[in-house]
Each structure stands twice: as C-alpha cells, then as structure tokens.
Amino acid sequence: KRTVERFPSYAMLRRHPKPSKEMFDELLRAAKIAGVDLCVDTSKELADSLDRAVKPDRPFFNRLIRILTTRCMMQAVYFTSGEVQPSEFAHYGLASDIYTHFTSPIRRYADVVVHRLLAAAEGIDPLPLSYESKEGMKELSDNLNRRHHQAQLAGRASIALHTVVFFRNRPTNAVALISRVREKGIVVVVPEYGIEGKVKFANSDEEARSNFDYDEANMSLTHKATGRKLQIFDQVRVRLEVETRTGHRQNLVVSLVDPPLVAPSGAAPASTNGGSAAEGSESGAGKGRKRSRAPSTPASAAKKKPAAKSATKSAKPKQSAKKRKTAAAKR
C-alpha cells in the first residue's frame, strides 16, 4: 500500500484474478461424487471447505482435491498499479485486496524492484530513473511474467528428466489415485513419488467405444468385457517403467495393474498401456498383422542346397569309372 500511495502509476504488484463459477463446474461435480461439499462463492469459503474435505481412509484425498482446485484457477501475474483499476488489484488465492512479492530479494527480481520502490517511498534511497516510466515498468512486469513461466516449464522438464533417471532399470508397482477420467483412458496421481501420468486404454475413439462405456456425468469408465468400473478418486495400482522409443528417447510409461482389465476367454482384451509415449507400442505391436517367418540367411540357404543334391544322387546314382570301363569292354 505504501508504494502505491507514493507511486500510484508504477508500483510493482501481483494479482490473482477471481475465477468464474463455470471454471469450478468439473471440480464441484467430482467433489459431489466423492461426497464432499465445496463452496466456491469466495476464496475464504473455498479454503474453509477444502479444510473439511478429509477422508480418514484416504490420507492423500485432501491433497488431491486441492491440486484439482488449483487447476481451476488462473495464473497470478505481476503488474504495475497504473495498468488496471484498484478493484482489480485483489489476489484471489490469498484472499487479499492488495499484494506484492517482497520477502525473497535474493531469488526473485520482482522483490528487488519492490525493495527499491519502498526505499524510495520512505526517502531512504532515490528511485531509479527507469522506474519512473509507466511503459518501462509495464515492460518489466511483462518480462517477469514470461521469465516466471519459463522457469515453471524448466522445472517441469527437470522433474520429468530426473523421474526417468530414477525409474530407469527399476520397474515399480505403486498405489495411485484417479485424478481424471476420459473416454480413452485415465489420469492418475502416484502419492509415493509425487508424479502424475496417463494410462491410455485406446488409440482411437472407435476402439474406446467398442471396449468401454464412458459416463462423463459420473466421471467413470466401465470395461465392457469385465464390467469393471474406474471412477474419479478411485484407488488403483499402477506400474511405472521407462521405455525407449523412436530416436532413443526414453519416457516413463504408466500402465494399470489392478484392477486388471482382462477379458474373458474368446473376447478381445483392452490395452492397459499408458502414456502418449507408449502409443502403438506393445499394445499394437502384434495387432492387425500376421507374424512372418524370418528370412533365410545365406548360411541356411547354403546348407539346403547340398541336401537337394544328395537327394538327386540317391535317385540316380552315378557309375564309377571302373564300372564304366567294364561295361564298355562287354559291349
């Protein structure tokens, strides 16, 4: 507030826009299926209802529903006070009318900017000339937002890389919770390792419809051959393993272990390979094509030829030179 009072056009702030109620529709439907009542009218009511969303037999349930809640919201951004009206300064996630980053100048440049603005507002240090430009401060805040997003992407890429390194040559079975249900598969969160992955059951809409009944309203997927139903927040068991794909690229593949989707004898089983990296691999390797015999090598072909000659010899044996001479003398 002090920096805004002193520099109303170019104070560095951070805002988090309020999400529309429509953005919470899927979350509210999922919570209702789980028997949880969430109130999203205000951020305070949402926070209180999330605190009550606890299932003693599912320790990770509260954490999962908080993750899903965060995904309903927009990204918080840096901005300068002269860009928007004061009514839009609010930070929804923190239930604050006005907010800025201030406590980490050793790791965030936005905090350094706020420290300089505050020092100038209190008459401790002069304000840098570049900060007196509304356009310049806007450009600075936009760059901070870009850099922050790039840092998030780099962090995710680093996690993905080290996850592959960790599970390489270490196939693992683990407990997971279903966080999303789609027509072609499910998305699961593995609490033990803090990772999320896709388990794909079909490569096309036609394949999905022929093997599964998808209920969007109840967020469930039922396997036709076995009658087994997978629904959001269900606990399942998955297998985590690293597979090498085209170009020697390695990916973590998540596949369903329990409940097993194995069709009865005579029925076509559904594929339970997971992840986009596994598309068209094991599940489709032998599908729709006959196995062909290995081609004959030069060595094997060479071995077959003498056998053919020996068969000819036994059918029409050649006479020895001595016998030919004797036969000629008799004639």
Side-chain angles (χ1 to χ4, degrees):
K1 288 182 178 179
R2 182 71 180 99
T3 58
V4 174
E5 290 172 359
R6 181 67 180 82
F7 309 111
S9 296
Y10 39 83
M12 176 72 68
L13 301 175
R14 187 168 176 82
R15 67 191 181 101
H16 185 205
K18 180 180 179 179
S20 64
K21 284 197 173 183
E22 290 74 18
M23 298 175 72
F24 287 111
D25 285 347
E26 188 171 341
L27 173 69
L28 293 175
R29 195 164 73 250
K32 186 177 180 180
I33 291 170
V36 172
D37 183 26
L38 292 182
C39 181
V40 298
D41 293 338
T42 66
S43 59
K44 178 68 168 59
E45 290 176 314
L46 176 59
D48 291 342
S49 59
L50 284 173
D51 289 339
R52 295 190 297 269
V54 177
K55 288 185 175 295
D57 59 332
R58 297 285 180 85
F60 191 74
F61 174 79
N62 185 262
R63 176 60 180 158
L64 177 56
I65 202 165
R66 287 180 185 275
I67 292 172
L68 299 180
T69 302
T70 302
R71 293 176 180 175
C72 298
M73 302 180 188
M74 291 182 279
Q75 179 73 46
V77 293
Y78 296 108
F79 72 104
T80 53
S81 52
E83 292 182 52
V84 299
Q85 295 298 317
S87 60
E88 299 180 45
F89 286 3
H91 194 294
Y92 177 82
L94 299 176
S96 177
D97 293 334
I98 187 169
Y99 177 75
T100 190
H101 276 165
F102 175 77
T103 57
S104 299
I106 62 171
R107 70 185 183 92
R108 283 193 304 236
Y109 187 69
D111 300 61
V112 175
V113 174
V114 174
H115 273 250
R116 291 172 178 171
L117 287 166
L118 184 59
E122 295 299 315
I124 299 173
D125 291 318
L127 184 69
L129 292 177
S130 60
Y131 288 14
E132 297 181 9
S133 167
K134 181 178 177 179
E135 291 74 19
M137 289 298 286
K138 183 182 184 307
E139 184 179 345
L140 176 59
S141 62
D142 289 343
N143 186 53
L144 286 171
N145 291 325
R146 285 194 300 270
R147 296 294 185 182
H148 178 68
H149 181 62
Q150 290 171 350
Q152 287 181 317
L153 296 179
R156 292 168 192 168
S158 176
I159 290 172
L161 171 63
H162 287 87
T163 299
V164 168
V165 172
F166 180 81
F167 285 104
R168 185 185 296 155
N169 301 321
R170 193 187 298 175
T172 304
N173 289 354
V175 173
L177 290 179
I178 298 176
S179 62
R180 184 172 293 182
V181 179
R182 291 293 181 260
E183 191 173 3
K184 296 179 185 178
I186 58 176
V187 180
V188 298
V189 175
V190 186
E192 184 178 354
Y193 300 104
I195 59 177
E196 187 175 43
K198 297 178 182 178
V199 181
K200 195 169 185 180
F201 300 140
N203 292 320
S204 66
D205 294 337
E206 184 180 355
E207 184 182 354
R209 285 191 293 268
S210 64
N211 289 308
F212 292 90
D213 286 326
Y214 174 55
D215 187 344
E216 185 176 5
N218 290 307
M219 297 185 174
S220 67
L221 198 63
T222 303
H223 187 219
K224 292 181 180 180
T226 62
R228 293 192 175 97
K229 183 170 78 170
L230 301 170
Q231 192 169 31
I232 192 164
F233 299 126
D234 278 357
Q235 182 172 295
V236 296
R237 196 162 184 82
V238 297
R239 184 171 180 81
L240 309 169
E241 57 186 331
V242 174
E243 294 187 0
T244 302
R245 297 302 174 196
T246 305
H248 303 286
R249 182 171 181 174
Q250 294 183 326
N251 294 89
L252 181 68
V253 176
V254 186
S255 55
L256 186 66
V257 174
D258 186 38
L261 302 185
V262 180
S265 178
S271 164
T272 55
N273 280 348
S276 58
E279 292 179 25
S281 56
E282 294 177 4
S283 61
K287 197 170 185 179
R289 62 184 183 190
K290 296 180 179 179
R291 290 186 179 179
S292 57
R293 295 181 179 177
S296 299
T297 61
S300 61
K303 290 179 181 179
K304 291 178 182 178
K305 287 181 180 179
K309 287 183 178 179
S310 61
T312 305
K313 287 180 180 179
S314 60
K316 296 181 180 180
K318 290 184 179 180
Q319 295 177 335
S320 63
K322 186 176 181 180
K323 288 183 177 180
R324 287 198 300 270
K325 290 181 180 179
T326 304
K330 288 180 179 180
R331 287 198 297 269

